[in-house]
Amino acid sequence: MFLSLWRNCCALLFASLLLSTPMLQAVTVHGTVTDSLGLPIPNATVALIQNGKVIVSQHTAYDGTYQITSSAAGQFYILAGGTSFRQLATSSFYGGQFDAVEQSVVLEPEWVHQSIVVTATGTPEPQAQLSASVSVITKPDFQNRAVMVDPLRQVPGFDVVQTGQRGGLTSVFVRGGNSDSNKVLFDNISMEDIGGRFDLSTVSSTGVSHVEAYRGPNSVLWGSDAAAGTLAFFTPHGTTPFPSLLYEGDAGSFGTYRNEVQLGGTWRKFDYYGAFGDLQTSNSVPMDEYHNITSAANLGYSFGSATSIRVTARNADIATGLPGTYTFYGMSNDGKQSDQDIFLSAAVDHTFSDSWHALVRYGLARKREESEQWYPAGDLIDGNYYGNFVTIKGANSYDAAGRALMNYGGVYPYTIDLVSNRDNLYAQTDYSITPHLTVIGGFRFEDERGAENEWAYDFSENIERANYDYMLQVNGDFKQRVFYSLGGGIQKNQLYGTQGTPRIGVSYYAVRPGKGKFHGTKINFNFSKGVKEPTIDDQFGSLYAFLLANGGQAAVNQYGIRPIGAELSRSYDGGAEQSFFSEKVLLRATYFHNEFGNQIEYVGANLIPTLLPNLTPEQQQQLEQFLQQEGAYSLTINSGAFRAQGIESEIEYGIGRNIFLRGGYTYLDAVVQRSFTSDAVGPSYNPLYPTIPIGNDSPLVGARPFRRPPHIGFAGVTYSAKHLTVVATGAFSSRSDDSTFLGGEDVNGGNTLLLPNRNLDHAYAKLDLGVTLPITSWLSYYVQLDNYLSQQHVTPIGYTSLPANIRTGLRFTLGRTVK
């Protein structure tokens, strides 16, 4: 009897173990589905997807939670949706046997566009919970674009200035700040040169999944150079369980052609993505050919559900002609600039628990810029080379005629080689004390190495800076109505010393979004400080160091000239967001007030001798020629200060599921408060306009900073349907202050080619149109028409804009596209 009972118990136990084995080996995926404010969404549909198939699906509980169990292992993603919410797929993740994976989902409103961003707080946060101003540019916004210049014109507060045609130096002025006061990131590692200078024309659309554009200082998170804004580019991930291949090729006007191929997918614990693009064009100006060859890769491996490693890389080989300010000379300079940029990010990400997460990231940047001029274009007059006789006319109706200095006499061919290398190691941990309070801490070590070489004159200088950043920040909310972020950073830079950068942001929902005509009222406030380190050129060209080395101690004492140091910024902004008609329309308006102090100014080589009055006229002339031959056309000093305040507005309107409208307008009131040109060496004058003071190298006190128009705007219409996609965009700008920078450069060494600064640059309206027409499930035809009004003055004075141009091509997709 006992033996029989024992056998029955053993059989029952064995059967139970056998039946329970799949469950013991199952992966469990759990989380919470919330709206953009963190409120739980009950009865939302949640599905676990593997290999494009639904493995398990269910609905969330009353508190928005879900838990899905599956005996499968491998790469998954969650697909979630709900009434009045857009269906959303998470990034792919690995789940193995016995793994418990958290995948919380934030659903977006069905009509307006909101995203998860990281540049504002250092951790993924919904835009609706942020007080800061952040715009996200997604792949559909730049699908037919070759480079990322024009898509960024569709961001409020972003003034994009390109000096010339494709490949011309392109700068971004954020809310009136200087163009080198922005942190530029590739997968969260620095892309900009040492000191913040960055040429946006070097970034092709190849290997870019989306872009985050942050307005305001954020040195707390990103360190030096994030003094006016942050611009972050991200690389796509492979997501499909099989290789997905995309190829597109097009050709167009001005000898333009482009080829691009992308490949991505997943295999067990591994995901991969690679891209290669080649853009070639001749532009419309002689000697202005441009090519950009870019390759990108993104490789990820999951050791389990808690630990992963990801390596991304980007390489760009770029060459462009240097015709110069073509309309000032009536001819092109015979020059070429070559850039080779290599970026690498390697990150280890580990989740200790649902509340505690950490990462370590290594970043590498190798940038080399080589500018070559084979011969001195122009006519030889008294030892220098001058362009043709031209008439220069500004948008302010002032004009001047003559021949401008094009090249100095000297040794040719002439080459300048700039090197900007960076290695950094960043560690961050974030811990959620409660679901409503998270603490983030971070540390960054950065080793920067730069060089400037002028081989023709046997001139070479090198620098190295070892920098440290420390960061602590608290993010939280109160009853999903008040959201706040409070943080502080310490930057310890080898050149400028130690600077502290606080930041605080608060947003309050007076009325939560929802159904109704006026539901969704949000009020924002931000305060922050930023810091920017000097560039390599700024450090090498220090006016203080030059004067001390050349007997100028009296001028140093008289004008309080100091060693080159950090540039500082302070900003506060406040505004409101209002939703209309059940979140189909979203209106944002923000007032900002920025102060930029200790700014670096440039003192022209022709003005330096006036600071050394003990020199004879012959010695002053020799000194000026020496500076010009050494490439020191100006020297640098921390003497500038200006204020930039204004109003930034934006509207989004979703009409049904197929039409989306965007528009924005920014008013900028910027004024120079302090300038070395005004305070010390004095303004310049054109004898044709003897009563009008002119700033040649820098704007004068009381004037506007150069190339920052008081009015800019944009508009966009997207129509997306199964058989047709149309994207029409426009960028608009009023006139802006600028200089011809031709002081002392007429044939007599005079200022007759200088024009008054006020409203010197022309206003413009740049309109573009992109159309994509699917032919089959794997083949599409597309056309991109840019500047179809053929505006001549999209560029600053002296440069020639690319006229109306068109590209047309085919796009092939094998497998599913990567996201």
Side-chain angles (χ1 to χ4, degrees):
M1 178 72 178
F2 176 79
L3 183 60
S4 176
L5 182 60
W6 172 253
R7 287 174 178 174
N8 290 337
C9 289
C10 288
L12 181 61
L13 179 61
F14 178 76
S16 300
L17 290 173
L18 186 64
L19 291 173
S20 63
T21 297
M23 297 302 296
L24 290 174
Q25 295 181 346
V27 58
T28 300
V29 183
H30 66 280
T32 305
V33 179
T34 65
D35 65 10
S36 56
L37 299 186
L39 294 172
I41 301 176
N43 205 37
T45 302
V46 181
L48 181 67
I49 310 296
Q50 185 181 49
N51 296 334
K53 298 179 180 180
V54 176
I55 303 299
V56 183
S57 67
Q58 63 175 234
H59 291 87
T60 57
Y62 73 96
D63 58 355
T65 60
Y66 74 93
Q67 180 170 303
I68 295 176
T69 302
S70 171
S71 60
Q75 295 282 346
F76 302 92
Y77 65 89
I78 292 292
L79 187 66
T83 304
S84 76
F85 293 97
R86 186 183 300 112
Q87 192 176 68
L88 184 143
T90 67
S91 298
S92 61
F93 59 91
Y94 177 81
Q97 296 174 347
F98 309 108
D99 281 342
V101 183
E102 182 186 23
Q103 286 288 306
S104 292
V105 181
V106 179
L107 292 182
E108 303 170 1
E110 186 173 10
W111 306 108
V112 299
H113 291 187
Q114 294 183 347
S115 302
I116 305 295
V117 299
V118 298
T119 51
T121 62
T123 58
E125 296 287 346
Q127 280 180 287
Q129 297 183 19
L130 301 176
S131 59
S133 300
V134 188
S135 296
V136 179
I137 303 172
T138 59
K139 189 66 176 180
D141 298 321
F142 57 90
Q143 186 174 45
N144 296 340
R145 301 287 193 174
V147 292
M148 297 302 298
V149 174
D150 286 315
L152 287 172
R153 300 184 194 271
Q154 304 294 301
V155 176
F158 267 48
D159 178 31
V160 179
V161 178
Q162 185 164 35
T163 54
Q165 304 186 1
R166 285 197 188 100
L169 176 66
T170 305
S171 305
V172 179
F173 300 88
V174 179
R175 288 182 172 177
N178 288 330
S179 61
D180 59 358
S181 295
N182 307 314
K183 195 71 175 179
V184 185
L185 303 168
F186 152 71
D187 290 328
N188 295 323
I189 67 165
S190 298
M191 293 181 74
E192 78 276 10
D193 294 347
I194 297 172
R197 189 173 296 161
F198 185 75
D199 181 4
L200 183 63
S201 73
T202 61
V203 183
S204 75
S205 59
T206 300
V208 177
S209 63
H210 66 285
V211 186
E212 293 183 16
Y214 178 100
R215 280 96 71 197
N218 201 355
S219 292
V220 172
L221 287 177
W222 305 111
S224 293
D225 303 339
T230 301
L231 187 60
F233 299 90
F234 295 91
T235 309
H237 292 198
T239 59
T240 56
F242 42 80
S244 295
L245 178 68
L246 184 146
Y247 166 78
E248 57 187 60
D250 56 61
S253 49
F254 304 110
T256 302
Y257 68 87
R258 183 178 72 103
N259 290 282
E260 180 178 284
V261 61
Q262 302 178 66
L263 176 69
T266 62
W267 184 70
R268 296 182 180 176
K269 298 183 178 183
F270 181 64
D271 66 83
Y272 56 92
Y273 169 84
F276 175 83
D278 181 5
L279 169 67
Q280 309 274 346
T281 186
S282 297
N283 286 319
S284 68
V285 174
M287 302 182 186
D288 195 20
E289 292 83 4
Y290 168 67
H291 78 250
N292 186 321
I293 300 174
T294 298
S295 54
N298 187 337
L299 306 176
Y301 182 81
S302 299
F303 296 96
S305 61
T307 306
S308 64
I309 183 170
R310 184 163 301 279
V311 178
T312 59
R314 187 177 183 90
N315 178 79
D317 292 293
I318 303 131
T320 183
L322 296 175
T325 45
Y326 183 81
T327 63
F328 288 171
Y329 308 129
M331 65 174 71
S332 291
N333 235 329
D334 188 14
K336 172 187 175 183
Q337 178 175 306
S338 301
D339 292 85
Q340 183 177 35
D341 299 336
I342 300 173
F343 306 103
L344 174 71
S345 171
V348 178
D349 194 292
H350 182 72
T351 300
F352 295 95
S353 68
D354 289 349
S355 301
W356 185 18
H357 165 263
L359 67 87
V360 177
R361 181 187 302 115
Y362 166 72
L364 173 149
R366 299 289 184 268
K367 304 188 70 176
R368 181 178 178 181
E369 175 187 301
E370 186 176 75
S371 300
E372 303 172 277
Q373 189 165 342
W374 292 280
Y375 69 90
D379 295 331
L380 182 62
I381 302 175
D382 295 332
N384 292 323
Y385 297 84
Y386 291 80
N388 294 328
F389 188 92
V390 298
T391 297
I392 302 170
K393 187 172 183 178
N396 51 17
S397 299
Y398 290 101
D399 59 59
R403 306 185 72 175
L405 176 63
M406 198 168 180
N407 292 293
Y408 292 103
V411 180
Y412 290 88
Y414 177 72
T415 302
I416 298 179
D417 189 18
L418 294 176
V419 178
S420 183
N421 295 333
R422 181 185 288 110
D423 293 272
N424 68 62
L425 185 66
Y426 178 71
Q428 175 182 303
T429 184
D430 51 270
Y431 184 77
S432 297
I433 299 174
T434 73
H436 305 285
L437 180 63
T438 300
V439 179
I440 306 171
F443 165 78
R444 180 185 293 106
F445 168 74
E446 189 169 60
D447 180 51
E448 299 177 311
R449 304 171 303 283
E452 180 177 354
N453 306 302
E454 299 178 44
W455 307 117
Y457 295 98
D458 195 27
F459 173 81
S460 180
E461 288 185 298
N462 298 273
I463 65 166
E464 183 169 5
R465 302 175 189 168
N467 311 319
Y468 302 85
D469 295 345
Y470 307 87
M471 177 271 289
L472 183 65
Q473 183 165 287
V474 176
N475 302 326
D477 72 88
F478 179 70
K479 294 186 177 180
Q480 287 91 28
R481 190 180 287 273
V482 177
F483 299 88
Y484 59 89
S485 178
L486 175 64
I490 298 175
Q491 287 75 44
K492 186 176 181 182
N493 186 279
Q494 186 167 326
L495 177 64
Y496 64 69
T498 301
Q499 293 285 342
T501 52
R503 178 182 176 273
I504 183 172
V506 180
S507 60
Y508 168 64
Y509 276 90
V511 180
R512 288 193 177 102
K515 293 183 178 181
K517 292 182 179 180
F518 302 103
H519 274 234
T521 305
K522 179 185 177 186
I523 300 171
N524 300 317
F525 172 79
N526 295 280
F527 169 81
S528 56
K529 289 186 176 182
V531 61
K532 191 192 87 66
E533 65 176 346
T535 67
I536 297 172
D537 286 342
D538 294 340
Q539 184 173 349
F540 290 157
S542 168
L543 177 63
Y544 173 85
F546 179 84
L547 290 177
L548 288 187
N550 291 275
Q553 183 67 55
V556 170
N557 295 335
Q558 178 181 357
Y559 299 112
I561 300 173
R562 297 168 297 172
I564 205 74
E567 298 179 82
L568 306 175
S569 66
R570 187 274 301 148
S571 173
Y572 61 80
D573 66 66
E577 298 181 12
Q578 179 65 55
S579 296
F580 301 92
F581 309 115
S582 302
E583 297 186 85
K584 293 182 180 180
V585 180
L586 179 61
L587 176 65
R588 300 184 182 99
T590 302
Y591 167 77
F592 57 87
H593 189 288
N594 303 326
E595 291 282 350
F596 297 94
N598 214 39
Q599 300 294 293
I600 288 176
E601 289 188 284
Y602 300 92
V603 182
N606 61 315
L607 302 176
I608 302 300
T610 64
L611 300 175
L612 299 169
N614 295 328
L615 299 181
T616 65
E618 292 78 12
Q619 289 174 323
Q620 290 182 349
Q621 185 177 8
Q622 291 174 359
L623 176 61
E624 183 177 347
Q625 291 176 347
F626 168 77
L627 288 169
Q628 293 165 350
Q629 289 176 351
E630 293 295 316
Y633 302 113
S634 60
L635 296 179
T636 55
I637 178 176
N638 290 96
S639 57
F642 63 94
R643 181 213 70 210
Q645 65 176 344
I647 296 175
E648 183 181 279
S649 60
E650 181 180 14
I651 187 170
E652 298 180 359
Y653 182 19
I655 305 176
R657 299 181 183 275
N658 303 114
I659 301 176
F660 182 69
L661 309 179
R662 284 188 69 231
Y665 163 75
T666 301
Y667 168 71
L668 176 67
D669 173 25
V671 61
V672 176
Q673 298 164 317
R674 188 173 67 249
S675 168
F676 192 75
T677 300
S678 293
D679 302 337
V681 297
S684 300
Y685 290 88
N686 185 331
L688 299 175
Y689 313 108
T691 62
I692 303 177
I694 299 172
N696 180 37
D697 298 286
S698 301
L700 303 176
V701 170
R704 296 191 298 237
F706 290 162
R707 298 182 180 176
R708 269 149 277 195
H711 308 279
I712 59 172
F714 68 89
V717 180
T718 300
Y719 173 78
S720 181
K722 184 177 180 180
H723 299 294
L724 179 66
T725 299
V726 179
V727 180
T729 59
F732 316 95
S733 174
S734 65
R735 295 180 297 175
S736 58
D737 289 13
D738 207 344
S739 173
T740 62
F741 301 100
L742 294 176
E745 295 189 3
D746 64 17
V747 290
N748 299 312
N751 294 336
T752 59
L753 297 179
L754 273 181
L755 292 178
N757 305 123
R758 189 72 170 183
N759 290 332
L760 187 61
D761 288 340
H762 289 263
Y764 68 83
K766 186 178 187 298
L767 303 182
D768 304 331
L769 177 67
V771 178
T772 302
L773 180 64
I775 300 173
T776 69
S777 60
W778 53 269
L779 176 64
S780 296
Y781 168 79
Y782 65 92
V783 59
Q784 182 67 40
L785 175 60
D786 292 333
N787 193 20
Y788 57 77
L789 295 182
S790 212
Q791 292 275 300
Q792 300 179 23
H793 301 295
V794 178
T795 56
I797 188 170
Y799 296 93
T800 302
S801 301
L802 188 65
N805 59 97
I806 188 172
R807 292 183 299 109
T808 182
L810 296 173
R811 180 175 296 118
F812 300 84
T813 304
L814 300 178
R816 265 175 275 172
T817 57
V818 289
K819 62 177 243 185

